[in-house]
Amino acid sequence: MKIAIVTDGAYGERAYATIKEEFDSEYLVMDSPQSSFMDEIDLPLETMERLEKANIIITYVLHPDLTLDLVDALHDKVDWIIVGAWRGEGFKNQLESYGNVNCPENMCDLTENGNPVFDEFVSKFGRPVVRVNCQGDKVVDVEVLRCSPCGSTQFVAEEMVGENTDTIPIKAGLRIQHYPCRAPKMRLFADDECKKEMAANFHKEAFQEALDKKKDINPKK
């Protein structure tokens, strides 16, 4: 499966560095229109041809007209498009009306939707899933089963080694604040703290679920 990440230069390089570890990936930078609103946008032929070869396109383009033109031109040529940067519920609804377009609140909130291509990608990247290995009450290793596209789950996992199992869900949620998450900056007029809190809760829940599963497998006698 091939993943194409397209941006206007501000965001996306971290996701590319993470995703290319699992999937054949390409990182494409487009020039953003100078004006906020354009009657007609020139879509470079070479870039479009490269994007058409992907199974999934992830766009971090900030300019709304360029984003819409990309989705309109490519939605019927690829399996799925994930829009990582969007503004306003109306714009989100317009994009998702194409059917194979997803506009997540946070990129670390992607979960399976029944489409086999999308689900193959989300089996590796999206809402975090981890496995915690312990010796007594100490964490000796954390295996990342599904990582946030930006790589923050791996960062938190490494930080949790050596911590006490009683506190790692809370510490995981707090530690994500030290990772320079860019999600709020990709959403104009979004509540930065709300988005950070959402990412923190996803990671807190991932570690709590991992501990709960471990207790179910190895109940105390």
Side-chain angles (χ1 to χ4, degrees), residues 32-41 62-66 87:
S32 181
Q34 297 302 308
S35 174
S36 298
F37 300 97
M38 302 286 290
D39 292 330
E40 186 175 346
I41 294 177
L62 296 182
H63 195 288
D65 291 337
L66 179 54
R87 62 188 76 177

Side-chain angles (χ1 to χ4, degrees), residues 100-179:
N100 62 336
V101 179
N102 180 265
C103 302
E105 289 289 332
N106 271 8
M107 287 294 287
C108 56
D109 190 26
L110 294 170
T111 55
E112 292 83 355
N113 66 6
N115 177 275
V117 175
F118 184 86
D119 287 357
E120 182 180 351
F121 174 77
V122 172
S123 71
K124 296 293 183 181
F125 298 104
R127 186 175 294 191
V129 178
V130 299
R131 180 183 293 131
V132 177
N133 298 316
C134 309
Q135 287 183 355
D137 293 331
K138 292 292 182 181
V139 177
V140 296
D141 181 60
V142 178
E143 183 182 357
V144 177
L145 304 180
R146 180 162 64 191
C147 186
S148 59
C150 69
S152 59
T153 310
Q154 186 62 49
F155 168 80
V156 172
E158 293 170 0
E159 293 288 309
M160 292 302 102
V161 174
E163 296 288 346
N164 191 287
T165 55
D166 291 337
T167 58
I168 61 168
I170 293 176
K171 286 186 176 180
L174 293 173
R175 197 60 182 158
I176 199 68
Q177 308 296 329
H178 295 270
Y179 191 79

Side-chain angles (χ1 to χ4, degrees), residues 42-96:
D42 180 35
L43 299 175
L45 180 59
E46 181 181 354
T47 299
M48 299 301 288
E49 289 177 345
R50 291 165 68 181
L51 288 170
E52 288 176 9
K53 295 178 181 178
N55 298 102
I56 292 178
I57 294 172
I58 303 175
T59 168
Y60 288 96
V61 171
L62 296 182
H63 195 288
D65 291 337
L66 179 54
T67 299
L68 183 58
D69 279 9
L70 283 171
V71 170
D72 186 64
L74 294 167
H75 77 278
D76 59 349
K77 296 181 173 61
V78 300
D79 293 288
W80 208 269
I81 299 176
I82 300 172
V83 181
W86 52 274
R87 62 188 76 177
E89 291 298 320
F91 189 49
K92 174 183 178 179
N93 293 337
Q94 183 178 8
L95 293 170
E96 291 187 339

